[in-house]
Amino acid sequence: MNSLLHSSSSPLLPLLFLFILLTLSHPTTLSSSSLPDHFINAVPSPFRHDFYTEYFEIAPPLPTQSLIPSHTLPLLKYDFKNTTGFPVTVPYWPPIECLSPWLSVVLQFRGAVKGVQDDRIVGIWLEGVELLRTSTAQPTETGVYWKVEKDVTKYNSLLTRSNLTLTVMLENTVNQFFTGFIHVEVSMLFYGLWSSTNPAQGATGGDSKFNRKLMNFVDEDVKLELVKGEDKGVVSDGVEKEKKKPEEFLSKQRNGKLESGSKLEIFYDRPADLIIPISDDGGMGCWFKIVNESNVHSKEIQVPQNTYKAVIEIYVSAHGDDEFWYSNPPTSYFELNNLTSKRGNGAFRQVFVTIDDLFVGSAHPFPVIYSGGINPLLWEPIVGIGAFDLPTYDLELTPFLGFLLDGSTHFIRLGVTDANSYWLVNANLHLWLDPFLPTVTAGSIRYRAPDLRVKREAEFKLLDGKCEVEAERKTQFSGWVSYSAGNYTTQVEYEFEFENSIEFRNQGQNTEVEQNIKTRTEVQTEDRNKHHSRTTSRIKTRYPLRIRISTTPGLAFQTFLSITNVSNGIESRSSVSQPHKRMSSTLSNSQVSGGWIVSRDHIVLSGTGNTHQNLRYRDENRCYSQIVVGDTGLILENVVIPFCATNSY
């Protein structure tokens, strides 16, 4: 187990035990200081390793990892110094050296910083559509660097457009204390249709199933044509063929309609035809800043009348008094003890979405811990899960096309239940358009959205006690759409269970948080005339979290010694089944971390931190596992197994 007693920094253990012995005889009421908190890493050089360090997040590798991109497009190189309230913008044009269609496009973000600096949240938008939400690493005196790569192929309809604005928001401060300016480079990596099969286009071998992975639901004859390169107008038998778009292969047009043999999944597996940003105007970044539950933000939109599928993608991050929302006791706890903290409202949070004030879904965020959270020494060089690539959340809106396609404008609103200040939220509305009809017809069948069931219990005796929150909801929506491919019914079922327990002991000096979030999403689409033609997508997720913190007065004046243990993880299982086809994937990603810090005014003066992470991923084409152990800036173990060792993986 990664705990204080198993830390490899043994020379510091006697000092720690001395702290404990000295503080046992000086019990002090610490109010809410034993809650998870945010710190600045300022550990002096005698406690640090004297070299430039790479920080990284453990995640399944992208399918393109072993390939050389057909083209790299540099977009931004900038030093963020005093940039509070000032987003940086640059123009975007797709590369003429590597024209669409692409097999894959990857957004690459590189960062470097040295000195003393807080972690900062970063947003990257293209014409208001968010492509990446990330955070920076906290540096050492000698400096750190890191790289984030995210597959952004699903934004293809936007990436092919010219003369767009790329916006990067990174609010940084440089002064006598915060000495680190953050150097950032942003690029796009384009992988052409031939990059996995033609060495001349930059292939390095890589995954032989790369094409199949990216086009897994395309008809075999279509795959063959794409591999031949006919979509790019290459010369065959001395005759140059007309350049064709992927849609021309994938639609098989016949008299303005699809052939009866064409498959629903061809339409449903490709990127959206249009993406509408549900975001701010970009003056202070394109995200909405939510400061309480009633602070709901909206965007007026008009959906094209030939839309046959709609999905809203939510970006969200928690900050300020809600950065550690999962540890917030009820407001009554602070009132009972005459504390001034604003970290109340309990521990339940959800992002909710409405259209014209009609509830259409909610997302329950994964508890991301930034590199300054709880104990900064836990997150070097292995950062917390999701810290470099914050997860997004998709809600299927196809059942609501019945009133969205009326030709009128509608208001999409975003809010956070029980929010404190503050949350940064925005969304992208992905729309799939019928290429043959100017309008399609749609209607609603079922709307079932019962009230959110929340059960709260709390019992406190001054600073000690326990509070629990349980919440659950099950929604069901269905609707039909009639378009070129036929008349299809989409049924969406979403269910979640939320459990949270916070316990304070020893006059509030010891805090234990346990939380578990379970979600289940099922989207079923069926041809109303052919009941055997059905596509079913299922996703199950679980977010287990446990935090233990013991805080006592330190040896020096106004210092505190905190012993911290964190267990965080994500487990997911997804599948897509269609007639004669089924795909599935599983992910298990867990971190167990432990250490101690001595701090003054939220500045870490000394300490240790170690993290043990275990990642396992599997789908039809890949098996991947990785075990990494880090200790206060050093990697002690890093084992990667890029294949399945057994069938019982």
Side-chain angles (χ1 to χ4, degrees):
M1 295 292 293
N2 287 297
S3 65
L4 172 66
L5 298 180
H6 288 78
S7 171
S8 65
S9 302
S10 54
L12 294 176
L13 285 177
L15 176 62
L16 173 60
F17 292 138
L18 177 61
F19 281 150
I20 295 175
L21 291 174
L22 289 174
T23 55
L24 283 176
S25 60
H26 297 84
T28 303
T29 296
L30 298 178
S31 65
S32 59
S33 62
S34 60
L35 287 172
D37 216 331
H38 197 96
F39 296 89
I40 303 299
N41 190 356
V43 177
S45 55
F47 293 91
R48 306 305 295 272
H49 306 289
D50 189 21
F51 53 81
Y52 213 79
T53 307
E54 180 180 11
Y55 282 29
F56 52 91
E57 178 181 341
I58 306 298
L62 300 179
T64 54
Q65 185 183 45
S66 60
L67 302 176
I68 297 175
S70 304
H71 182 77
T72 298
L73 178 65
L75 294 171
L76 173 71
K77 183 180 290 187
Y78 193 82
D79 291 332
F80 287 82
K81 298 178 181 178
N82 290 298
T83 52
T84 300
F86 297 99
V88 177
T89 61
V90 292
Y92 168 84
W93 297 75
I96 59 174
E97 299 88 347
C98 181
L99 298 176
S100 174
W102 307 293
L103 275 182
S104 184
V105 183
V106 173
L107 175 66
Q108 185 182 85
F109 177 96
R110 292 180 178 270
V113 58
K114 65 183 299 185
V116 176
Q117 191 53 262
D118 200 359
D119 55 76
R120 308 292 183 178
I121 196 70
V122 186
I124 300 179
W125 299 266
L126 185 58
E127 209 67 14
V129 172
E130 185 158 8
L131 306 181
L132 174 68
R133 181 78 58 93
T134 184
S135 65
T136 68
Q138 283 203 1
T140 64
E141 291 178 338
T142 53
V144 302
Y145 67 99
W146 68 98
K147 179 178 70 174
V148 184
E149 291 190 337
K150 178 180 178 179
D151 191 323
V152 293
T153 311
K154 65 181 178 181
Y155 305 104
N156 182 74
S157 61
L158 187 67
L159 298 172
T160 57
R161 292 168 52 190
S162 300
N163 196 23
L164 304 182
T165 299
L166 184 87
T167 301
V168 180
M169 190 66 173
L170 195 170
E171 295 187 286
N172 193 33
T173 299
V174 174
N175 52 35
Q176 290 182 343
F177 177 75
F178 289 115
T179 59
F181 64 84
I182 304 173
H183 177 75
V184 168
E185 296 182 12
V186 179
S187 303
M188 288 280 190
L189 312 181
F190 294 87
Y191 296 85
L193 285 171
W194 286 45
S195 62
S196 62
T197 57
N198 186 350
Q201 294 293 324
T204 61
D207 189 349
S208 62
K209 297 181 179 180
F210 179 66
N211 271 2
R212 196 184 312 169
K213 173 66 180 172
L214 292 179
M215 308 190 67
N216 41 58
F217 288 150
V218 177
D219 286 335
E220 292 300 326
D221 57 339
V222 176
K223 289 181 188 177
L224 181 59
E225 290 182 277
L226 289 173
V227 171
K228 288 180 179 178
E230 295 183 7
D231 64 302
K232 303 198 78 172
V234 296
V235 176
S236 177
D237 298 328
V239 179
E240 184 176 359
K241 298 190 176 184
E242 180 183 0
K243 181 181 179 181
K244 301 179 181 179
K245 298 180 180 180
E247 289 83 350
E248 296 182 71
F249 290 110
L250 304 182
S251 63
K252 297 185 177 179
Q253 181 180 3
R254 176 184 287 176
N255 297 325
K257 291 187 178 292
L258 299 180
E259 286 187 7
S260 59
S262 297
K263 298 180 180 179
L264 175 67
E265 60 264 26
I266 291 174
F267 273 81
Y268 275 67
D269 193 52
R270 63 182 178 84
D273 301 294
L274 176 66
I275 306 175
I276 300 176
I278 313 299
S279 59
D280 207 347
D281 59 11
M284 292 287 289
C286 298
W287 38 44
F288 296 123
K289 187 174 183 178
I290 294 175
V291 297
N292 55 53
E293 183 178 40
S294 61
N295 186 211
V296 178
H297 292 262
S298 65
K299 184 69 174 287
E300 186 176 16
I301 58 111
Q302 186 171 13
V303 175
Q305 291 180 277
N306 62 336
T307 300
Y308 65 85
K309 177 178 171 68
V311 173
I312 190 167
E313 175 192 27
I314 299 171
Y315 280 82
V316 56
S317 54
H319 309 275
D321 291 325
D322 259 5
E323 178 176 343
F324 307 99
W325 52 272
Y326 39 81
S327 67
N328 284 16
T331 304
S332 60
Y333 176 78
F334 299 106
E335 295 173 345
L336 174 67
N337 293 285
N338 296 315
L339 303 175
T340 59
S341 174
K342 298 180 180 179
R343 293 175 56 179
N345 292 351
F348 174 71
R349 299 292 184 273
Q350 68 170 359
V351 182
F352 59 86
V353 183
T354 65
I355 302 178
D356 298 339
D357 295 325
L358 178 71
F359 174 82
V360 297
S362 59
H364 298 84
F366 173 78
V368 176
I369 302 175
Y370 310 122
S371 60
I374 303 177
N375 175 353
L377 304 182
L378 302 177
W379 320 122
E380 54 173 45
I382 310 168
V383 300
I385 298 172
F388 280 170
D389 186 3
L390 274 73
T392 61
Y393 310 89
D394 291 346
L395 302 179
E396 181 81 34
L397 299 185
T398 304
F400 302 100
L401 289 178
F403 68 89
L404 284 174
L405 300 182
D406 60 1
S408 302
T409 59
H410 299 271
F411 285 92
I412 295 183
R413 293 181 170 87
L414 302 170
V416 179
T417 301
D418 291 339
N420 291 309
S421 183
Y422 60 99
W423 292 73
L424 298 176
V425 182
N426 58 260
N428 304 322
L429 181 60
H430 296 248
L431 303 175
W432 285 257
L433 310 179
D434 192 313
F436 311 119
L437 297 177
T439 61
V440 304
T441 55
S444 297
I445 297 175
R446 186 178 189 186
Y447 178 88
R448 184 179 182 274
D451 291 339
L452 177 68
R453 292 188 292 272
V454 181
K455 179 182 178 182
R456 304 177 190 270
E457 295 183 356
E459 184 176 353
F460 298 110
K461 186 176 181 180
L462 297 179
L463 290 167
D464 289 349
K466 187 175 183 179
C467 55
E468 296 180 342
V469 182
E470 296 180 0
E472 62 179 359
R473 181 187 241 165
K474 182 178 180 179
T475 58
Q476 293 176 314
F477 310 124
S478 62
W480 60 270
V481 181
S482 182
Y483 65 108
S484 294
N487 193 334
Y488 289 90
T489 297
T490 298
Q491 177 174 299
V492 180
E493 187 171 287
Y494 178 75
E495 184 176 10
F496 81 89
E497 297 178 5
F498 176 94
E499 296 177 344
N500 178 282
S501 171
I502 305 171
E503 185 172 3
F504 302 104
R505 297 186 301 274
N506 192 22
Q507 301 182 59
Q509 295 183 136
N510 299 339
T511 300
E512 183 167 345
V513 178
E514 289 196 48
Q515 180 173 281
N516 195 20
I517 301 175
K518 296 180 181 179
T519 68
R520 182 184 66 87
T521 304
E522 179 175 304
V523 179
Q524 187 176 101
T525 304
E526 184 176 18
D527 188 334
R528 302 180 75 183
N529 299 319
K530 302 175 182 178
H531 296 292
H532 65 278
S533 179
R534 176 183 297 176
T535 298
T536 303
S537 170
R538 295 184 179 91
I539 302 175
K540 290 184 178 181
T541 62
R542 190 170 82 91
Y543 306 149
L545 172 69
R546 185 176 184 183
I547 300 172
R548 288 178 293 165
I549 299 176
S550 176
T551 302
T552 55
L555 181 64
F557 179 66
Q558 292 186 342
T559 63
F560 293 96
L561 166 67
S562 296
I563 301 173
T564 57
N565 289 274
V566 180
S567 175
N568 197 14
I570 177 171
E571 300 172 6
S572 69
R573 181 181 298 271
S574 63
S575 66
V576 178
S577 59
Q578 299 168 329
H580 313 299
K581 290 185 180 180
R582 188 179 188 277
M583 294 188 66
S584 64
S585 66
T586 59
L587 170 67
S588 175
N589 194 3
S590 63
Q591 285 183 327
V592 178
S593 307
W596 62 273
I597 57 173
V598 173
S599 64
R600 178 190 289 120
D601 294 331
H602 293 89
I603 299 173
V604 176
L605 305 177
S606 62
T608 65
N610 56 78
T611 292
H612 182 285
Q613 185 159 356
N614 191 338
L615 168 72
R616 292 179 295 166
Y617 175 81
R618 181 174 185 172
D619 61 24
E620 270 68 23
N621 296 323
R622 292 186 299 162
C623 286
Y624 180 88
S625 65
Q626 186 172 4
I627 298 175
V628 184
V629 179
D631 193 329
T632 319
L634 289 177
I635 293 296
L636 305 183
E637 180 181 355
N638 189 356
V639 179
V640 176
I641 305 176
F643 56 85
C644 290
T646 67
N647 292 330
S648 60
Y649 175 86

